[in-house]
Amino acid sequence: MDLHELIEKTVTGLGYELVDLELSPRGRLIRVFIDNPAKERGVDVEDCAAVSNQLSRLFAVEDVDYDRLEVSSPGLDRPLKKLEDFQRFAGQEVHIRLRVAQDNRRNFDGELLGLRDGKVCVRLMEKNGGKGAAEALEVSLEPGNIDKARLVPKFD
C-alpha cells in the first residue's frame, strides 16, 4: 500500500475526509488536509490533533521516514479534487483553471452548478459588450482538463 492509500484509509477510518495530500521532495514534509462534512463549521484544532497523533503512530509502525507532519483544514478556499466535491459544493462561487484552454480561455470564475453528464458546470457572469450589464453564461468543463479548482471565500 502506498503512502497516499495508507493515509486515506486511516483518515477515513477516523471519520474524516482526506481533501489533499502534499509531499515535499524526498518526502521530508507530509502535509495532510482533512475535512468533516458532518460538521457545519469544518474541522477544528482537536480534529487535526487527533488525526496527527494517529498518523504519527501509524508512521512509526509502518516505518515511514519523514521529518515533519502537518495536519490542517483545507481552508476557506478549499480545493475541489474529486467529482463528488463539484456536486457537494454546487451553489458556491468557484475559480477553475484548465490545463488546456477552452473557448480561448483557461480561467473560469462563477457559480458552481454541479455535475451534468459527467461534466463540471459553471455559471459565469460576463460583461455584455462594455454596456455595464451582465449576462449569465453556462459552461461545461471536462473534469480531466481541470488543473486546479478552488472555492472562493465569502466574507460577509
Side-chain angles (χ1 to χ4, degrees):
M1 188 179 297
D2 75 349
L3 185 60
H4 188 277
E5 289 177 54
L6 192 64
I7 292 171
E8 184 158 30
K9 184 177 179 184
T10 302
V11 167
T12 304
L14 292 170
Y16 299 97
E17 172 191 4
L18 178 63
V19 174
D20 203 1
L21 173 66
E22 294 177 359
L23 301 173
S24 68
R26 293 181 248 127
R28 305 313 304 164
L29 168 64
I30 302 171
R31 211 174 261 140
V32 178
F33 298 92
I34 62 170
D35 196 4
N36 187 344
K39 288 176 76 174
E40 185 177 320
R41 300 191 55 86
V43 296
D44 55 28
V45 174
E46 288 81 19
D47 296 319
C48 294
V51 171
S52 179
N53 290 335
Q54 185 67 28
L55 288 176
S56 295
R57 288 192 291 272
L58 174 71
F59 293 166
V61 169
E62 295 290 331
D63 199 29
V64 174
D65 185 29
Y66 70 102
D67 289 330
R68 194 170 72 207
L69 170 65
E70 295 177 4
V71 178
S72 70
S73 82
L76 295 175
D77 61 340
R78 182 193 203 280
L80 306 176
K81 298 277 191 171
K82 305 171 195 153
L83 280 178
E84 299 84 36
D85 294 340
F86 292 101
Q87 194 63 40
R88 175 178 163 202
F89 292 102
Q92 304 260 352
E93 191 174 339
V94 293
H95 171 76
I96 298 176
R97 186 174 75 208
L98 301 180
R99 290 183 177 91
V100 177
Q102 176 177 314
D103 300 326
N104 294 322
R105 64 190 289 181
R106 290 184 60 204
N107 293 299
F108 295 84
D109 294 292
E111 178 188 354
L112 181 61
L113 300 175
L115 296 172
R116 289 192 202 133
D117 300 321
K119 294 186 179 187
V120 174
C121 296
V122 179
R123 179 179 297 125
L124 309 174
M125 292 306 291
E126 299 289 328
K127 294 217 174 179
N128 190 4
K131 298 177 187 174
E135 175 183 330
L137 300 172
E138 289 187 19
V139 295
S140 296
L141 307 171
E142 288 290 341
N145 190 27
I146 294 175
D147 183 35
K148 289 187 180 182
R150 289 191 168 274
L151 294 178
V152 175
K154 289 187 179 180
F155 302 102
D156 298 329

